[in-house]
Amino acid sequence: MKKEHSLSAGEELVDALMTTSFITMAIINKIGAEHDLSLSLIRVLGILWDRRPRMTELADYLGLEKQTMSGLIARAEKRGLVVRAACKDDGRATEVFLTKEGAELVKQLRDQGQQALMPLIESLNASDQQRLQELLLRMLNAKGARGN
Amino acid sequence: MKKEHSLSAGEELVDALMTTSFITMAIINKIGAEHDLSLSLIRVLGILWDRRPRMTELADYLGLEKQTMSGLIARAEKRGLVVRAACKDDGRATEVFLTKEGAELVKQLRDQGQQALMPLIESLNASDQQRLQELLLRMLNAKGARGN
DNA sequence: TATTGTTATACTCTATAACTATA
DNA sequence: TATAGTTATAGAGTATAACAATA
């Protein structure tokens, strides 16, 4: 957060990573706001794109409490973006999945996100973009990271 | 968000950037939660580390409405983290700055953030870390980006 | 008893609208 | 009139606690 103090090599990278992330999230958040979507709901919809998880799985995935997820999904369902259905294997569980309308919204968000972030990455030339991508992917894969 | 579909080179990089950012923000958010701090308040405190901005400047910086900033700062002031003072140049304006307690919290957050993000970046070797840092900084500087 | 999920309650964050005070 | 800031109000997001239904 502070630039004047001398930082170790690792600290400078952490700084750059945080700044990059704040900027990226601000861009995504702005796109979400245009659709009345919070960052959490954007992540949920992204997960639902190719999965049909239970409420608890979703909550764990996002690091939220199950009650929080109940509210989030209830509001999304009221808007026609997702549907809840009883799980056949386990009478206690509830599965969540996208409606057609929800899926279309995800597609649209994807496109808008790509467009909005393009200016940032296009400040690097093609070979640097390639290198950055490789480094990020290597870092993410090493951590067994799950983004959304 | 989806991995199976074929993506153009730029799209894959955007994907990696978003995933990295979601993970980074989740880590920062978790640290903030331990101190009852939202991401917005963390950013505000970071800005206040070496600046003494007016309310409107803060709001513009974070992309929030001035009323939102009023509430955010009012709560932070009640907790003893920041102080508001009348601006001498302009009788309408209010300057905000950190208390000693607030500054100590920022220092602590910095350390915790560094520690928490270290495992992620240490999945790369030293030379790759150096390269990643250079690429991120070049990208950020090209955009005249302001993280916090 | 333990697990899955919802409901009740409370607080933070955010925006829109209306207001006060200064320029 | 325009700008800086606060207050009032309302809704979304979050957590803690208590509950119902199923395993």
Side-chain angles (χ1 to χ4, degrees):
Chain A
M1 303 180 174
K2 187 127 182 303
K3 267 82 181 181
E4 300 96 46
H5 292 162
S6 65
L7 300 173
S8 80
E11 285 175 346
E12 281 185 46
L13 175 48
V14 167
D15 245 41
L17 198 56
M18 281 183 51
T19 301
T20 302
S21 299
F22 269 124
I23 290 172
T24 301
M25 284 300 99
I27 290 170
I28 300 302
N29 190 45
K30 190 182 168 193
I31 292 173
E34 293 170 9
H35 298 272
D36 279 305
L37 297 171
S38 65
L39 284 175
S40 290
L41 190 47
I42 287 176
R43 287 196 72 191
V44 168
L45 296 179
I47 291 166
L48 263 38
W49 176 253
D50 54 3
R51 271 160 285 187
R52 190 187 169 102
R54 301 178 181 184
M55 293 295 293
T56 301
E57 289 174 330
L58 271 179
D60 290 347
Y61 207 81
L62 269 74
L64 298 174
E65 295 298 316
K66 57 184 178 176
Q67 316 85 287
T68 302
M69 194 53 63
S70 271
L72 212 53
I73 294 300
R75 286 186 294 271
E77 190 171 36
K78 193 181 292 183
R79 291 168 63 177
L81 301 176
V82 305
V83 176
R84 275 181 286 196
C87 179
K88 294 191 174 177
D89 302 346
D90 188 335
R92 300 168 300 180
T94 303
E95 289 178 349
V96 190
F97 52 95
L98 288 179
T99 60
K100 177 167 282 186
E101 190 186 342
E104 278 169 17
L105 178 56
V106 171
K107 246 181 278 181
Q108 195 183 346
L109 287 172
R110 245 200 103 74
D111 290 344
Q112 284 188 273
Q114 299 285 353
Q115 261 195 317
L117 287 171
M118 273 302 168
L120 188 63
I121 71 172
E122 280 177 347
S123 58
L124 297 177
N125 64 38
S127 64
D128 280 347
Q129 287 181 29
Q130 181 64 30
R131 250 176 283 170
L132 177 57
Q133 179 182 321
E134 282 171 9
L135 289 168
L136 290 179
L137 290 179
R138 201 181 311 160
M139 187 171 72
L140 295 175
N141 290 333
K143 291 301 300 174
R146 49 197 176 87
N148 55 357
Chain B
M1 306 177 174
K2 187 127 183 300
K3 269 80 181 182
E4 301 96 44
H5 292 164
S6 65
L7 301 173
S8 80
E11 285 175 344
E12 281 185 44
L13 176 49
V14 167
D15 244 41
L17 198 57
M18 282 183 50
T19 301
T20 302
S21 299
F22 268 124
I23 290 172
T24 302
M25 285 299 100
I27 291 171
I28 300 301
N29 190 46
K30 191 182 168 191
I31 293 174
E34 294 171 8
H35 298 273
D36 278 307
L37 297 170
S38 66
L39 285 175
S40 290
L41 190 47
I42 288 177
R43 287 195 73 192
V44 167
L45 296 179
I47 291 166
L48 263 37
W49 176 254
D50 55 2
R51 271 158 288 187
R52 191 188 169 101
R54 301 177 181 185
M55 294 294 294
T56 301
E57 289 174 330
L58 272 179
D60 289 348
Y61 207 82
L62 268 75
L64 299 174
E65 295 298 317
K66 56 184 180 177
Q67 316 85 288
T68 302
M69 193 52 63
S70 271
L72 212 53
I73 295 299
R75 286 186 293 273
E77 191 172 34
K78 193 182 293 183
R79 291 168 62 178
L81 302 176
V82 306
V83 177
R84 276 181 286 195
C87 180
K88 295 192 174 177
D89 301 346
D90 188 335
R92 301 168 300 180
T94 302
E95 289 178 350
V96 190
F97 52 96
L98 288 179
T99 60
K100 178 168 280 186
E101 190 185 343
E104 278 170 17
L105 178 56
V106 171
K107 247 182 278 182
Q108 195 182 346
L109 287 172
R110 246 200 102 75
D111 290 343
Q112 284 187 274
Q114 299 284 356
Q115 262 196 316
L117 287 171
M118 272 303 168
L120 188 63
I121 70 172
E122 279 177 348
S123 58
L124 296 177
N125 65 38
S127 64
D128 279 347
Q129 287 180 29
Q130 181 65 28
R131 251 177 284 170
L132 177 57
Q133 179 182 321
E134 281 172 9
L135 289 168
L136 290 178
L137 290 179
R138 202 180 310 160
M139 187 170 72
L140 294 175
N141 291 332
K143 289 302 299 173
R146 51 202 174 84
N148 58 355

